[in-house]
Amino acid sequence: MRVTSLIKYLNGLGIYPYVDGGKLKTRSDSVHVDPQAALLIRTYKEALITFLTVDSGLNPATGETITPREDRDAPAPLSFAQQRLWFLDQLGEAASAAYNVPAALRLTGRLNVDALKATLNRVVERHENLRTRVISHNGAPCQIAAPADIGFQLDERDLSGLDRDARRCAVARICAEEAQAPFDLATGPVIRGRLLCLAEHEHVLLVTQHHIVSDGWSIQVLVREISALYTAFVEARPDPLSALPIQYSDYAVWQRRTLHGATLQTQLDFWCEHLRGAPALLELPVDRPRPLIQSYAGDRVGVRLPADTSAALRRLSHLHDTTLFMTILAGWSLLLSRLCGQDEVVVGTPVANRQRPEIEPLMGLFANTLALRVRVEDDLDVAALLAQVKVTTLAAYSNQDLPFEQLVEAIRPTRSLSHNPVFQTLLTVNNAARGEGLRLPGLELAAIDNAQQTTQFDLALSLTDGADGMTGHLVYATDLFDRASVERTSRLRPGLCRS
């Protein structure tokens, strides 16, 4: 395996190798490293050290450094990913609300409300991205930040006077309303919260962000910072967090300035060839005709692969020298192919896209999406399918720098308001532990599972690999599917995996 391909492959798994003091080290967005990835790192250790020691362009410590903008009051361009979400926001409130990122926590114990407010205010002060709004500047969308002292918008509600049933209904209603309420990107804010007081020692905290300023990695950044800041403020200590080296707008400027030339063209050529002739639409069996304009309304059903099935998938992955993600992608593609009667499917999958150390502590939309084309011919056996998926995935990881937005511009698929371009189904596979959970002194925390009400895709399968098997959700567009149909589909997957 070429070292460049190996590094891109590891980056796609959220693993970033680097050299420090002559020793090979890695950063990872998960506490668990894929066994196959660990084996590859050990096997190619010396080659990685040699490669990363020189200015290869793939070493995140080399190349053009991302530096702070001189005039922080001036408008900055949107990143490519932000620009696509801004475009979708222009389609209407339903499209925009589909990219809300809500979180709800029940806090039991003695809550220091002043410390919580100070914590949230400090997070917004630290991250310029959370204070931005999108304006038109010289005919193009740009981001501009509000003053650092603008604070966090926290709406407090006292529900303690209600009886238990009324209180439970009020919490459910407010959670649903908060998750669905659209953001106005032009006026802000792009992050907001509600604090519901249920009793003296029981509260519910709701925090909602727009995806244009956040991604999966950002959630972990937010969790770590809230934990550190609240603990410090409760104990009357100063802010313990280090100053951020740059802000998200600095990255957006850097991305626009550097993402061009031969490297970009090489990756663009790869993706255009990879998707040439691919089906533009996954013809899934639907319960209702596809509407002319998708509403983004969604729901979800639970998915569980028992521990023995999950273990069998890991053994199969080891036998065929694939990662667990590759094996699941093969099975998911096979299931989709059988459902829609097509011998080719295109499945989207997100990658963290945080190869550079200076952007690791930032909140912002860095994630990219890869379009993986899988051919599922009738005479293809398991070994051949897994081999194909492995080659496809490794090649995609080696070309993951091209923003999906630029790919769409290049291949110019037939535009439709009824479905997403390039792919309509998404696959995400996570490890059970992606970092430390939120810990606040004196409080017991429990996540509140909000009902799924939106979706960006026809079908989106999300799985988390844990000690007791794999669990997750299959999210679906209610424009197209009845719940009963999706439940039948979800029951097909464990049987397919076992076979």
Side-chain angles (χ1 to χ4, degrees), residues 273-292:
E273 183 61 32
H274 175 64
L275 295 170
R276 191 184 310 279
L281 182 64
L282 194 64
E283 299 284 357
L284 291 164
V286 296
D287 296 304
R288 285 172 291 283
R290 185 181 296 274
L292 294 177

Side-chain angles (χ1 to χ4, degrees), residues 376-437:
V376 190
E377 290 88 359
D378 290 338
D379 58 348
L380 206 63
D381 60 20
V382 171
L385 177 59
L386 287 173
Q388 177 207 151
V389 168
K390 178 180 178 179
V391 170
T392 296
T393 306
L394 288 175
Y397 287 158
S398 295
N399 293 275
Q400 67 172 284
D401 297 321
L402 181 75
F404 178 73
E405 298 70 32
Q406 288 195 298
L407 170 62
V408 173
E409 290 181 11
I411 65 177
R412 298 186 179 278
T414 302
R415 293 285 190 168
S416 173
L417 296 178
S418 68
H419 60 79
N420 274 15
V422 185
F423 57 85
Q424 296 81 45
T425 181
L426 193 77
L427 173 64
T428 306
V429 180
N430 298 313
N431 290 313
R434 294 178 59 86
E436 288 293 326

Side-chain angles (χ1 to χ4, degrees), residues 107-332:
L107 314 176
T108 303
R110 188 177 298 278
L111 174 65
N112 187 323
V113 176
D114 290 338
L116 178 63
K117 291 179 179 178
T119 294
L120 297 172
N121 287 338
R122 179 63 184 126
V123 169
V124 169
E125 181 183 5
R126 278 174 56 80
H127 295 275
E128 180 185 274
N129 191 40
L130 302 181
R131 297 182 269 114
T132 58
R133 54 192 180 92
V134 182
I135 64 169
S136 178
H137 181 69
N138 295 331
C142 292
Q143 54 185 309
I144 189 165
D149 61 357
I150 190 174
F152 181 94
Q153 180 180 295
L154 184 66
D155 176 36
E156 296 183 72
R157 297 279 302 274
D158 188 353
L159 305 178
S160 61
L162 302 177
D163 63 45
R164 186 172 63 178
D165 290 342
R167 200 163 54 235
R168 183 173 60 251
C169 291
V171 169
R173 174 180 54 79
I174 294 171
C175 285
E177 291 174 353
E178 173 58 31
Q180 285 295 295
F183 285 94
D184 187 334
L185 302 184
T187 61
V190 287
I191 184 172
R192 62 178 183 242
R194 298 193 191 190
L195 182 62
L196 311 179
C197 177
L198 311 186
E200 181 181 1
H201 292 153
E202 187 174 9
H203 295 77
V204 169
L205 176 65
L206 310 177
V207 175
T208 308
Q209 308 168 75
H210 194 282
H211 193 21
I212 202 168
V213 296
S214 185
D215 58 15
W217 185 302
S218 299
I219 301 299
Q220 295 303 316
V221 173
L222 181 62
V223 165
R224 288 195 301 269
E225 293 198 353
I226 289 178
S227 295
L229 289 167
Y230 181 84
T231 301
F233 294 159
V234 164
E235 297 172 358
R237 292 187 287 109
D239 176 358
L241 301 176
S242 302
L244 296 174
I246 58 170
Q247 294 288 342
Y248 185 86
S249 62
D250 304 321
Y251 161 79
V253 170
W254 172 85
Q255 184 191 52
R256 295 278 181 173
R257 185 174 63 244
T258 61
L259 200 57
H260 58 78
T263 300
L264 177 64
Q265 189 59 51
T266 297
Q267 296 202 14
L268 188 57
D269 292 344
F270 164 81
W271 285 109
C272 289
E273 183 61 32
H274 175 64
L275 295 170
R276 191 184 310 279
L281 182 64
L282 194 64
E283 299 284 357
L284 291 164
V286 296
D287 296 304
R288 285 172 291 283
R290 185 181 296 274
L292 294 177
I293 300 178
Q294 60 180 320
S295 72
Y296 296 92
D299 200 352
R300 68 185 181 190
V301 298
V303 176
R304 182 177 182 275
L305 298 181
D308 57 344
T309 303
S310 300
L313 288 174
R314 294 188 194 94
R315 290 193 298 270
L316 183 65
S317 301
H318 180 74
L319 178 64
H320 292 277
D321 195 27
T322 62
T323 66
L324 183 60
F325 170 80
M326 294 174 187
T327 303
I328 292 172
L329 172 62
W332 179 233

Side-chain angles (χ1 to χ4, degrees), residues 49-57 59 62:
I49 291 175
T50 300
F51 183 84
L52 292 171
T53 301
V54 301
D55 186 357
S56 63
N59 185 351
T62 64

